[in-house]
Amino acid sequence: MNSILSDRIINMEESATLAMAKKARELKSQGIDIISLSLGEPDFKTPKHIQEAAKAAIDEGKYFSYPPVAGYQDLREAIAKKLREENQIADAKAENIVVSTGAKHSIANVFMCMINEGDEVIIFSPYWVSYAEIIKLAGGVPVLIEGTLENNFKATAAQLEAAITPRTKAVIYSSPCNPTGSVFSKEELEAIAAVILKHDNIMVIADEIYELINFVGKNYSIGSFPGMFDRTITVNGFSKGYAMTGWRVGYICAPLFIAKAVEKMQGQFTSGGTGIAQRAALAGIAGDQTPSKEMADAYFRRRALVLGLLQDIPGIKTHVPEGAFYFFPDVTAFFGKSAHGHSVKDADDLCLYLLDVANVSLVTGAAFGAPDCVRLSYAASDEELVEALKRIKKALGDLA
């Protein structure tokens, strides 16, 4: 029956993070004590005032009909205000905002609106798993520029310049980065902006979904730099900083012609995002920010905990992530080794080995464009993290 399926779905890769999380859930359902460090999902509850706003919206009873395709006006105004005041994106107005069903949906909307067959999109690598597949789905060609462990996994403006061709349509990066936790400095973003401004008709998609989980101070938005508002699509949302993954609310801030195109696209595919979730999001962005700061503080403390445990494992090489809640260690020291009936040829094999032997789920770095690494999420309790790293150390120590 495969002849019934389209080539696009047959050729599309499954999300590696979701696939590993699915395997972990299946093993848990069999009674196996799996510690899952594979998903990028906060382990905190959505802050109380956000929950209460959703309950009030339900009780109010007027948010059950179809919302405006681009999102409720007051939410769009609050997002624009936040971007002007906190991100210094001075030209942001409600008309530039389109609210979607999560940041992933926002990115898909953007690429479906921008990419023609054969257009190239430069991806700063390592990169979030879905970028390349969404680009290919839209008919585009992903072009990777790779950061190294020695440079905190950050590709450079010089690499960007060298990768641009007449087919280049867009550039995408995340900061703080999933999977590496790296954060681009103001100087690094200024250099990237200078390259973009030399080339007409190239847009930047700046994925800032981890903005509130930043350990190095201020988060800089490339859309705030001179000349860059009309060249930048800023992507953000509520999943990470507000522990609202299941609420599914994301947004873009873009030049008006992009925002109108995305609204048109969304109007045909999904219409507006869930009304109740949007009311909750408004309470998040306009309300008390203390819970978000407390969550970021907890991640900062966990980072120190996990860093110490990783540095105690012979063979592991890691940088110190500057944001988000991931470590992305180099694990090549274990390639070519074997134990417990497993032969470890690459990071994929190592993740399967650790799932089977240590009962810990991680994600292969190959899914993020870095086959020498694995991604470990520390969005888990201290107890789970200590136990998981204890198991990992023992299992890696068995390899010979």
Side-chain angles (χ1 to χ4, degrees), residues 301-388:
R301 182 179 49 75
R302 291 173 183 177
R303 182 188 71 162
L305 171 66
V306 175
L307 178 62
L309 295 170
L310 283 172
Q311 290 176 333
D312 194 42
I313 301 176
I316 289 282
K317 293 190 293 183
T318 187
H319 75 308
V320 181
E322 299 166 317
F325 39 65
Y326 307 108
F327 277 91
F328 201 60
D330 181 303
V331 292
T332 51
F334 306 101
F335 295 176
K337 296 184 177 182
S338 60
H340 304 291
H342 289 261
S343 295
V344 176
K345 300 184 296 297
D346 51 29
D348 296 49
D349 287 342
L350 187 65
C351 286
L352 291 173
Y353 169 73
L354 290 173
L355 183 62
D356 183 44
V357 174
N359 291 341
V360 177
S361 69
L362 308 178
V363 186
T364 172
F368 303 95
D372 290 344
C373 301
V374 297
R375 192 189 76 171
L376 180 157
S377 168
Y378 55 91
S381 70
D382 289 18
E383 294 77 18
E384 286 181 308
L385 292 170
V386 170
E387 177 61 22

Coordinates of all heavy atoms in Angstrom, one line a residue, residues 301-388:
R301 N 21.3 25.7 38.0 CA 21.9 24.9 39.1 C 22.1 23.4 38.5 O 23.1 22.8 38.8 CB 20.9 24.9 40.2 CG 21.4 24.1 41.4 CD 20.4 24.2 42.6 NE 19.1 23.9 42.2 CZ 18.6 22.7 41.9 NH1 19.4 21.7 42.0 NH2 17.3 22.5 41.6
R302 N 21.1 23.0 37.8 CA 21.2 21.6 37.2 C 22.4 21.5 36.2 O 23.0 20.4 36.1 CB 19.9 21.2 36.5 CG 18.7 21.0 37.5 CD 17.5 20.8 36.7 NE 16.3 20.7 37.6 CZ 15.1 20.5 37.1 NH1 14.8 20.5 35.8 NH2 14.0 20.4 37.9
R303 N 22.6 22.6 35.5 CA 23.7 22.5 34.6 C 25.0 22.3 35.3 O 25.8 21.4 34.9 CB 23.8 23.9 33.8 CG 25.0 23.9 32.8 CD 25.2 25.3 32.2 NE 25.8 26.2 33.2 CZ 26.3 27.4 32.8 NH1 26.4 27.7 31.6 NH2 26.9 28.2 33.8
A304 N 25.2 22.9 36.4 CA 26.4 22.7 37.2 C 26.5 21.3 37.7 O 27.6 20.6 37.7 CB 26.5 23.7 38.4
L305 N 25.4 20.8 38.2 CA 25.3 19.4 38.7 C 25.7 18.4 37.6 O 26.6 17.5 37.8 CB 23.9 19.1 39.1 CG 23.6 17.6 39.5 CD1 24.4 17.1 40.7 CD2 22.1 17.4 39.8
V306 N 25.1 18.5 36.4 CA 25.3 17.6 35.3 C 26.8 17.8 34.7 O 27.4 16.8 34.4 CB 24.3 17.7 34.2 CG1 24.6 16.8 33.0 CG2 22.9 17.4 34.7
L307 N 27.2 19.0 34.7 CA 28.6 19.2 34.2 C 29.6 18.5 35.0 O 30.5 17.8 34.5 CB 28.9 20.7 34.2 CG 30.3 21.1 33.7 CD1 30.6 20.7 32.3 CD2 30.5 22.6 33.9
G308 N 29.5 18.5 36.3 CA 30.4 17.8 37.2 C 30.3 16.3 37.0 O 31.3 15.6 37.0
L309 N 29.1 15.8 36.8 CA 28.9 14.4 36.6 C 29.5 13.9 35.3 O 30.1 12.8 35.2 CB 27.5 14.0 36.7 CG 26.8 14.2 38.1 CD1 25.3 14.0 38.1 CD2 27.4 13.2 39.2
L310 N 29.3 14.7 34.2 CA 29.8 14.4 32.9 C 31.4 14.4 32.9 O 32.0 13.6 32.3 CB 29.3 15.3 31.9 CG 27.9 15.1 31.4 CD1 27.4 16.3 30.5 CD2 27.7 13.8 30.6
Q311 N 31.9 15.4 33.6 CA 33.4 15.5 33.6 C 34.0 14.4 34.4 O 35.3 14.2 34.3 CB 33.8 16.9 34.2 CG 33.4 18.1 33.3 CD 33.7 19.4 33.9 OE1 33.7 19.6 35.1 NE2 34.0 20.4 33.1
D312 N 33.2 13.7 35.1 CA 33.7 12.5 35.9 C 33.7 11.2 35.1 O 34.1 10.2 35.6 CB 32.9 12.4 37.2 CG 33.6 11.4 38.2 OD1 34.8 11.5 38.4 OD2 32.9 10.6 38.8
I313 N 33.3 11.3 33.8 CA 33.2 10.1 33.0 C 34.3 10.1 32.0 O 34.4 11.0 31.1 CB 31.8 10.1 32.2 CG1 30.7 10.0 33.2 CG2 31.8 8.8 31.3 CD1 29.3 10.1 32.6
P314 N 35.3 9.2 32.1 CA 36.4 9.2 31.2 C 35.9 9.0 29.8 O 35.0 8.2 29.5 CB 37.2 7.9 31.6 CG 36.8 7.8 33.1 CD 35.4 8.2 33.2
G315 N 36.4 9.8 28.8 CA 36.1 9.7 27.4 C 35.1 10.7 27.0 O 35.0 11.0 25.8
I316 N 34.3 11.3 27.9 CA 33.3 12.3 27.5 C 34.0 13.7 27.3 O 34.8 14.1 28.2 CB 32.2 12.5 28.6 CG1 31.3 11.2 28.6 CG2 31.4 13.7 28.4 CD1 30.3 11.2 27.5
K317 N 33.7 14.3 26.2 CA 34.2 15.7 26.0 C 33.0 16.6 25.8 O 32.1 16.3 25.0 CB 35.1 15.8 24.7 CG 36.4 15.0 24.8 CD 37.3 15.3 23.6 CE 36.7 14.8 22.3 NZ 37.6 15.0 21.2
T318 N 33.0 17.7 26.6 CA 31.8 18.6 26.5 C 32.2 20.0 26.7 O 33.3 20.3 27.4 CB 30.8 18.2 27.6 OG1 29.6 19.0 27.4 CG2 31.3 18.5 29.0
H319 N 31.5 20.9 26.1 CA 31.6 22.3 26.4 C 30.6 22.7 27.5 O 29.8 21.8 27.9 CB 31.4 23.2 25.1 CG 29.9 23.3 24.7 ND1 29.1 22.2 24.6 CD2 29.2 24.4 24.5 CE1 27.9 22.7 24.2 NE2 27.9 24.0 24.2
V320 N 30.6 23.9 27.9 CA 29.6 24.4 28.9 C 28.5 25.2 28.2 O 28.8 26.3 27.7 CB 30.3 25.3 30.0 CG1 29.3 25.7 31.1 CG2 31.5 24.5 30.7
P321 N 27.3 24.6 28.2 CA 26.2 25.3 27.5 C 25.9 26.6 28.2 O 26.0 26.7 29.4 CB 25.1 24.3 27.6 CG 25.4 23.4 28.7 CD 26.9 23.3 28.7
E322 N 25.5 27.6 27.3 CA 25.3 29.0 27.8 C 23.8 29.3 28.0 O 23.4 30.3 28.5 CB 25.9 30.0 26.9 CG 27.4 29.8 26.7 CD 28.0 30.6 25.6 OE1 27.4 30.6 24.5 OE2 29.0 31.2 25.7
G323 N 23.0 28.3 27.6 CA 21.5 28.5 27.7 C 20.8 27.2 27.4 O 21.4 26.1 27.2
A324 N 19.5 27.3 27.3 CA 18.6 26.1 27.1 C 18.8 25.1 28.2 O 19.3 25.5 29.3 CB 18.8 25.5 25.7
F325 N 18.5 23.8 28.0 CA 18.8 22.8 29.0 C 19.3 21.5 28.5 O 18.8 20.4 28.7 CB 17.5 22.6 29.9 CG 16.2 22.6 29.1 CD1 15.9 21.6 28.2 CD2 15.2 23.5 29.3 CE1 14.7 21.6 27.5 CE2 14.0 23.5 28.7 CZ 13.7 22.5 27.7
Y326 N 20.4 21.6 27.7 CA 21.0 20.5 27.0 C 22.5 20.5 27.2 O 23.1 21.5 27.2 CB 20.7 20.4 25.5 CG 19.3 20.5 25.2 CD1 18.8 21.7 24.6 CD2 18.4 19.5 25.4 CE1 17.4 21.8 24.2 CE2 17.1 19.6 25.0 CZ 16.6 20.7 24.5 OH 15.3 20.9 24.1
F327 N 23.1 19.3 27.3 CA 24.5 19.1 27.0 C 24.6 18.3 25.7 O 23.7 17.6 25.3 CB 25.1 18.3 28.2 CG 25.6 19.1 29.3 CD1 24.7 19.3 30.4 CD2 26.8 19.7 29.4 CE1 25.0 20.1 31.5 CE2 27.2 20.5 30.5 CZ 26.3 20.7 31.5
F328 N 25.7 18.6 25.0 CA 25.9 17.9 23.7 C 27.3 17.4 23.6 O 28.2 17.9 22.9 CB 25.6 19.0 22.6 CG 25.3 18.4 21.3 CD1 24.2 17.6 21.1 CD2 26.1 18.7 20.2 CE1 23.9 17.1 19.8 CE2 25.8 18.2 18.9 CZ 24.7 17.4 18.7
P329 N 27.6 16.4 24.4 CA 29.0 15.9 24.5 C 29.5 15.1 23.3 O 28.7 14.4 22.6 CB 29.0 15.0 25.7 CG 27.6 14.6 25.9 CD 26.7 15.7 25.4
D330 N 30.7 15.2 23.0 CA 31.4 14.4 22.0 C 31.7 13.0 22.6 O 32.2 12.9 23.7 CB 32.7 15.1 21.6 CG 33.5 14.3 20.5 OD1 33.8 13.1 20.7 OD2 33.8 14.9 19.5
V331 N 31.2 12.0 21.9 CA 31.3 10.6 22.4 C 32.1 9.7 21.5 O 32.0 8.5 21.6 CB 29.9 10.0 22.7 CG1 29.2 10.7 23.8 CG2 29.1 10.1 21.4
T332 N 33.0 10.3 20.7 CA 33.7 9.4 19.8 C 34.7 8.5 20.4 O 35.1 7.5 19.8 CB 34.5 10.3 18.8 OG1 35.3 11.3 19.5 CG2 33.6 11.1 17.8
A333 N 35.1 8.8 21.7 CA 36.0 7.9 22.4 C 35.4 6.5 22.6 O 36.1 5.5 22.8 CB 36.3 8.5 23.8
F334 N 34.1 6.3 22.4 CA 33.4 5.0 22.7 C 33.1 4.3 21.4 O 32.6 3.2 21.4 CB 32.1 5.2 23.5 CG 32.4 6.0 24.7 CD1 32.1 7.3 24.8 CD2 32.9 5.3 25.8 CE1 32.3 8.0 26.0 CE2 33.2 6.0 27.0 CZ 32.9 7.4 27.1
F335 N 33.4 4.9 20.2 CA 33.1 4.3 18.9 C 34.2 3.2 18.7 O 35.3 3.3 19.1 CB 33.2 5.3 17.8 CG 32.2 6.4 17.8 CD1 32.2 7.4 16.9 CD2 31.2 6.4 18.7 CE1 31.2 8.4 16.9 CE2 30.2 7.3 18.8 CZ 30.2 8.4 17.8
G336 N 33.7 2.1 18.2 CA 34.5 0.9 17.9 C 34.7 0.0 19.1 O 35.4 -1.0 19.1
K337 N 33.9 0.3 20.2 CA 34.0 -0.6 21.4 C 32.7 -1.4 21.5 O 31.7 -1.2 20.8 CB 34.2 0.3 22.7 CG 35.5 1.0 22.7 CD 35.7 1.8 24.0 CE 37.1 2.5 24.0 NZ 37.3 3.2 25.3
S338 N 32.7 -2.4 22.4 CA 31.5 -3.2 22.6 C 31.4 -3.7 24.0 O 32.4 -3.7 24.8 CB 31.6 -4.4 21.6 OG 32.8 -5.2 21.9
A339 N 30.2 -4.1 24.3 CA 29.9 -4.7 25.6 C 28.4 -5.2 25.6 O 27.6 -4.7 24.9 CB 30.1 -3.7 26.8
H340 N 28.1 -6.2 26.5 CA 26.7 -6.7 26.7 C 26.0 -7.0 25.4 O 24.8 -6.7 25.2 CB 25.9 -5.6 27.5 CG 26.5 -5.2 28.8 ND1 26.6 -6.1 29.8 CD2 27.2 -4.1 29.2 CE1 27.2 -5.5 30.9 NE2 27.6 -4.3 30.5
G341 N 26.8 -7.5 24.4 CA 26.2 -7.9 23.1 C 26.0 -6.8 22.2 O 25.3 -7.0 21.1
H342 N 26.4 -5.6 22.5 CA 26.3 -4.4 21.6 C 27.7 -4.0 21.1 O 28.7 -4.0 21.8 CB 25.8 -3.2 22.4 CG 24.3 -3.3 22.7 ND1 23.3 -2.7 22.0 CD2 23.7 -4.0 23.8 CE1 22.1 -3.0 22.6 NE2 22.3 -3.7 23.7
S343 N 27.7 -3.7 19.8 CA 28.9 -3.1 19.2 C 28.5 -1.6 18.8 O 27.5 -1.3 18.2 CB 29.3 -3.8 17.9 OG 29.7 -5.1 18.2
V344 N 29.4 -0.7 19.3 CA 29.1 0.7 19.1 C 29.9 1.3 18.0 O 31.1 1.5 18.1 CB 29.4 1.5 20.5 CG1 29.2 3.0 20.2 CG2 28.5 1.0 21.6
K345 N 29.3 1.5 16.9 CA 30.0 2.0 15.7 C 29.8 3.6 15.7 O 30.7 4.2 15.1 CB 29.4 1.4 14.4 CG 29.5 -0.1 14.3 CD 29.0 -0.6 13.0 CE 27.6 -0.3 12.7 NZ 26.7 -1.0 13.7
D346 N 28.7 4.1 16.2 CA 28.5 5.5 16.1 C 27.6 6.0 17.2 O 27.2 5.2 18.1 CB 27.9 5.8 14.7 CG 26.6 5.0 14.4 OD1 25.9 4.5 15.3 OD2 26.4 4.7 13.2
A347 N 27.1 7.2 17.1 CA 26.3 7.8 18.2 C 24.9 7.1 18.2 O 24.3 7.0 19.3 CB 26.1 9.3 18.0
D348 N 24.4 6.7 17.1 CA 23.1 6.0 17.1 C 23.2 4.7 17.9 O 22.4 4.4 18.7 CB 22.7 5.6 15.6 CG 22.5 6.8 14.8 OD1 23.3 7.7 14.7 OD2 21.4 6.9 14.1
D349 N 24.3 3.9 17.6 CA 24.5 2.7 18.4 C 24.7 3.0 19.9 O 24.2 2.2 20.7 CB 25.8 2.0 17.9 CG 25.6 1.3 16.5 OD1 24.4 1.1 16.1 OD2 26.6 1.0 15.9
L350 N 25.4 4.1 20.2 CA 25.6 4.4 21.6 C 24.3 4.7 22.3 O 24.1 4.2 23.5 CB 26.6 5.5 21.7 CG 27.1 5.8 23.2 CD1 27.9 4.7 23.7 CD2 27.8 7.1 23.2
C351 N 23.4 5.4 21.7 CA 22.1 5.7 22.3 C 21.3 4.4 22.5 O 20.7 4.3 23.6 CB 21.4 6.7 21.4 SG 22.0 8.4 21.5
L352 N 21.3 3.5 21.5 CA 20.6 2.3 21.7 C 21.2 1.4 22.8 O 20.5 0.8 23.6 CB 20.6 1.5 20.4 CG 19.7 2.2 19.3 CD1 19.9 1.4 18.0 CD2 18.3 2.2 19.7
Y353 N 22.5 1.5 22.9 CA 23.3 0.7 23.9 C 22.9 1.3 25.3 O 22.5 0.5 26.2 CB 24.8 0.9 23.7 CG 25.6 0.4 24.9 CD1 25.8 -1.0 25.1 CD2 26.3 1.3 25.7 CE1 26.5 -1.4 26.2 CE2 27.1 0.8 26.7 CZ 27.2 -0.5 27.0 OH 28.0 -1.0 28.0
L354 N 22.9 2.6 25.5 CA 22.5 3.2 26.8 C 21.1 2.9 27.1 O 20.7 2.7 28.3 CB 22.9 4.7 26.8 CG 24.3 5.0 26.7 CD1 24.5 6.5 26.6 CD2 25.1 4.5 28.0
L355 N 20.2 2.9 26.1 CA 18.8 2.6 26.4 C 18.6 1.2 26.9 O 17.9 1.0 27.8 CB 18.0 2.9 25.1 CG 16.5 2.7 25.3 CD1 15.9 3.7 26.3 CD2 15.8 2.9 23.9
D356 N 19.3 0.3 26.3 CA 19.2 -1.1 26.6 C 19.9 -1.5 27.9 O 19.4 -2.2 28.7 CB 19.7 -2.0 25.4 CG 19.5 -3.5 25.7 OD1 18.4 -3.9 26.1 OD2 20.5 -4.2 25.4
V357 N 21.1 -1.0 28.1 CA 22.0 -1.4 29.2 C 21.8 -0.5 30.4 O 21.7 -1.0 31.6 CB 23.4 -1.5 28.7 CG1 24.4 -1.8 29.9 CG2 23.6 -2.5 27.6
A358 N 21.7 0.8 30.2 CA 21.6 1.7 31.3 C 20.2 2.2 31.6 O 19.9 2.8 32.6 CB 22.5 3.0 31.1
N359 N 19.3 1.8 30.7 CA 17.9 2.3 30.8 C 17.8 3.8 30.9 O 17.0 4.4 31.6 CB 17.2 1.6 32.0 CG 16.9 0.2 31.8 OD1 17.0 -0.4 30.7 ND2 16.7 -0.5 32.9
V360 N 18.6 4.5 30.0 CA 18.6 5.9 29.9 C 18.4 6.3 28.5 O 19.2 5.7 27.6 CB 19.9 6.6 30.5 CG1 19.8 8.1 30.3 CG2 20.0 6.2 32.0
S361 N 17.5 7.1 28.1 CA 17.3 7.5 26.7 C 17.9 8.9 26.5 O 17.6 9.9 27.2 CB 15.8 7.5 26.4 OG 15.1 8.5 27.0
L362 N 18.8 8.9 25.5 CA 19.4 10.2 24.9 C 19.0 10.2 23.5 O 18.3 9.3 22.9 CB 20.9 10.2 25.1 CG 21.4 9.9 26.5 CD1 23.0 9.9 26.5 CD2 20.9 10.9 27.5
V363 N 19.5 11.3 22.8 CA 19.2 11.4 21.3 C 20.6 11.5 20.6 O 21.5 12.2 21.0 CB 18.4 12.6 21.0 CG1 18.0 12.6 19.5 CG2 17.1 12.6 21.9
T364 N 20.7 10.7 19.5 CA 21.9 10.8 18.7 C 22.1 12.1 18.1 O 21.2 12.8 17.6 CB 21.8 9.7 17.6 OG1 23.0 9.9 16.7 CG2 20.6 9.9 16.7
G365 N 23.4 12.6 18.1 CA 23.7 13.9 17.5 C 23.6 13.9 16.0 O 23.5 14.9 15.4
A366 N 23.6 12.7 15.4 CA 23.4 12.6 13.9 C 22.1 13.3 13.5 O 22.1 13.9 12.4 CB 23.4 11.2 13.5
A367 N 21.1 13.3 14.3 CA 19.8 13.9 14.0 C 19.9 15.4 14.0 O 19.1 16.1 13.4 CB 18.7 13.5 15.0
F368 N 21.0 16.0 14.6 CA 21.2 17.4 14.8 C 22.3 17.9 13.9 O 22.8 19.0 14.0 CB 21.5 17.8 16.2 CG 20.4 17.4 17.2 CD1 20.5 16.2 17.9 CD2 19.3 18.2 17.4 CE1 19.6 15.8 18.8 CE2 18.3 17.8 18.3 CZ 18.5 16.6 19.0
G369 N 22.8 17.0 13.0 CA 23.9 17.4 12.1 C 25.3 17.2 12.7 O 26.3 17.7 12.1
A370 N 25.4 16.5 13.8 CA 26.7 16.3 14.5 C 26.8 14.8 15.0 O 26.5 14.5 16.1 CB 26.8 17.2 15.7
P371 N 27.2 13.9 14.1 CA 27.2 12.5 14.4 C 28.2 12.1 15.4 O 28.2 10.9 15.8 CB 27.5 11.9 13.0 CG 28.2 12.9 12.2 CD 27.6 14.2 12.7
D372 N 29.1 13.0 15.9 CA 30.1 12.6 16.9 C 29.5 12.8 18.3 O 30.2 12.5 19.3 CB 31.4 13.4 16.8 CG 32.2 13.0 15.5 OD1 31.9 11.9 15.0 OD2 33.0 13.8 15.1
C373 N 28.3 13.3 18.4 CA 27.8 13.7 19.7 C 26.4 13.1 20.1 O 25.8 12.4 19.2 CB 27.6 15.3 19.7 SG 29.1 16.2 19.4
V374 N 26.0 13.2 21.3 CA 24.7 12.9 21.7 C 24.1 14.1 22.5 O 24.8 14.9 23.0 CB 24.7 11.6 22.6 CG1 25.2 10.4 21.9 CG2 25.5 11.9 23.9
R375 N 22.8 14.2 22.5 CA 22.1 15.2 23.2 C 21.5 14.7 24.5 O 20.8 13.7 24.5 CB 21.0 15.9 22.4 CG 20.5 17.2 23.1 CD 19.3 17.8 22.4 NE 18.1 17.1 22.7 CZ 16.9 17.5 22.4 NH1 16.7 18.6 21.8 NH2 15.8 16.8 22.8
L376 N 21.8 15.3 25.6 CA 21.3 15.0 26.9 C 20.5 16.2 27.5 O 21.1 17.3 27.6 CB 22.4 14.6 27.8 CG 22.1 14.2 29.3 CD1 23.3 13.4 29.8 CD2 21.9 15.4 30.2
S377 N 19.2 16.0 27.7 CA 18.4 17.0 28.3 C 18.5 17.0 29.9 O 18.3 15.9 30.4 CB 16.9 16.9 27.9 OG 16.1 17.7 28.7
Y378 N 18.8 18.1 30.5 CA 18.8 18.1 32.0 C 17.5 18.8 32.5 O 17.5 19.3 33.6 CB 20.0 18.7 32.5 CG 20.4 20.1 32.1 CD1 20.0 21.2 32.8 CD2 21.3 20.3 31.0 CE1 20.4 22.5 32.4 CE2 21.7 21.5 30.6 CZ 21.3 22.6 31.3 OH 21.7 23.9 30.9
A379 N 16.4 18.8 31.7 CA 15.1 19.2 32.2 C 14.5 18.0 33.0 O 13.5 17.4 32.5 CB 14.2 19.6 31.1
A380 N 15.1 17.7 34.1 CA 14.7 16.5 34.9 C 15.1 16.8 36.3 O 15.8 17.7 36.6 CB 15.3 15.2 34.4
S381 N 14.5 16.1 37.3 CA 14.8 16.3 38.7 C 16.3 16.0 39.0 O 16.9 15.2 38.3 CB 13.9 15.4 39.5 OG 14.3 14.1 39.4
D382 N 16.8 16.6 40.1 CA 18.2 16.3 40.5 C 18.4 14.7 40.7 O 19.4 14.2 40.3 CB 18.5 17.0 41.8 CG 18.6 18.5 41.7 OD1 18.1 19.0 40.6 OD2 19.2 19.1 42.5
E383 N 17.4 14.1 41.3 CA 17.5 12.7 41.6 C 17.6 11.9 40.3 O 18.4 11.0 40.2 CB 16.3 12.2 42.4 CG 16.2 12.8 43.8 CD 15.7 14.3 43.8 OE1 15.1 14.7 42.8 OE2 15.9 14.9 44.9
E384 N 16.8 12.2 39.3 CA 16.8 11.5 38.1 C 18.1 11.8 37.4 O 18.7 10.8 36.8 CB 15.7 12.0 37.2 CG 14.3 11.4 37.5 CD 13.2 11.9 36.6 OE1 13.1 13.1 36.3 OE2 12.5 11.0 36.1
L385 N 18.6 13.0 37.4 CA 19.9 13.3 36.7 C 21.1 12.6 37.4 O 21.9 12.0 36.6 CB 20.1 14.8 36.8 CG 19.1 15.6 35.9 CD1 19.3 17.1 36.2 CD2 19.3 15.4 34.4
V386 N 21.1 12.5 38.7 CA 22.2 11.8 39.4 C 22.2 10.4 39.0 O 23.2 9.7 38.7 CB 22.1 12.1 40.9 CG1 23.1 11.2 41.6 CG2 22.4 13.5 41.2
E387 N 21.0 9.8 39.1 CA 20.9 8.3 38.8 C 21.2 8.0 37.4 O 21.9 7.0 37.0 CB 19.4 7.9 39.2 CG 19.2 6.4 38.8 CD 20.0 5.4 39.6 OE1 20.6 5.8 40.6 OE2 20.2 4.3 39.1
A388 N 20.7 8.9 36.4 CA 21.0 8.6 35.0 C 22.4 8.7 34.7 O 23.0 7.8 34.0 CB 20.2 9.7 34.2

